[in-house]
């Protein structure tokens, strides 16, 4: 049995926009993270907040990283949700994929937070006070 659900142009546009925004968040947040690790004193980071650590490193707390601790994970989840919308109309089994992805990302975010807390100590605690949300802005 083949189930077919047709999406109108507005639904496809909304799904496409959600995916593009998610992809942009994913790429830009990872770019900021890598660029800051390579050269934290670069002119492009002037004016953004950072938190000094006891190891001589700095934690980037600007742009999305100042609002949420794992913006790349959040964007990854949104990309999975947008792709699921393309096929989930009529088949609820597709909804399991973003749910499983979300559970995996929660676990990974907790592991990352524990490692960063161990690595940076009080500086990580100060960062967590600034970026209160771990995975979903304002919710978790």
């Amino acid at each position: 049995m083949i189930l077919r659900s047709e999406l109108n142009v507005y639904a496809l546009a909304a799904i496409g926009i959600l995916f593009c925004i998610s992809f942009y968040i994913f790429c830009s947040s990872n770019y900021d993270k890598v660029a800051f690790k390579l050269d934290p004193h670069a002119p492009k980071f002037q004016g953004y907040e950072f938190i000094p650590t006891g190891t001589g490193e700095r934690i980037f707390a600007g742009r999305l990283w100042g609002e949420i601790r794992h913006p790349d994970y959040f964007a990854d989840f949104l990309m999975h949700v947008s792709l699921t919308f393309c096929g989930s109309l009529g088949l609820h089994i597709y909804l399991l994929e973003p749910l499983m992805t979300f559970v995996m990302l929660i676990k990974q975010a907790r592991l990352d937070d524990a490692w960063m807390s161990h690595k940076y100590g009080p500086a990580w605690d100060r960062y967590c006070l600034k970026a209160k949300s771990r995975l979903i802005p304002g919710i978790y």
Side-chain angles (χ1 to χ4, degrees):
M1 176 171 112
I2 297 175
L3 292 176
R4 184 174 177 185
S5 61
E6 295 184 17
L7 298 172
N8 65 32
V9 69
Y10 298 112
L12 287 174
I15 291 167
I17 289 169
L18 177 61
F19 182 83
C20 289
I21 290 170
S22 305
F23 188 72
Y24 173 78
I25 292 170
F26 182 82
C27 291
S28 66
S29 63
N30 278 320
Y31 176 80
D32 287 342
K33 177 175 63 174
V34 171
F36 188 77
K37 283 183 180 181
L38 291 175
D39 186 11
H41 302 289
K44 74 175 267 170
F45 295 115
Q46 299 302 318
Y48 289 119
E49 189 175 346
F50 63 88
I51 298 170
T53 67
T55 63
E57 296 179 77
R58 303 191 303 176
I59 299 172
F60 183 57
R63 296 179 39 117
L64 290 173
W65 293 97
E67 302 298 321
I68 179 172
R69 284 181 248 163
H70 304 282
D72 49 346
Y73 293 175
F74 174 63
D76 190 18
F77 171 68
L78 287 180
M79 284 189 286
H80 283 274
V81 168
S82 68
L83 293 174
T84 298
F85 283 149
C86 290
S88 69
L89 301 177
L91 287 176
H92 299 296
I93 193 82
Y94 288 119
L95 299 177
L96 289 176
E97 194 274 334
L99 179 63
M100 291 186 311
T101 300
F102 185 67
V103 169
M104 185 229 17
L105 290 173
I106 286 174
K107 180 181 178 189
Q108 187 61 45
R110 287 182 179 179
L111 289 171
D112 288 351
D113 285 355
W115 168 247
M116 293 300 155
S117 179
H118 173 74
K119 182 177 179 181
Y120 295 122
W124 184 256
D125 296 335
R126 288 193 307 275
Y127 174 66
C128 291
L129 290 175
K130 171 150 179 56
K132 292 178 176 40
S133 297
R134 182 179 282 162
L135 194 60
I136 300 177
I139 297 174
Y140 175 76

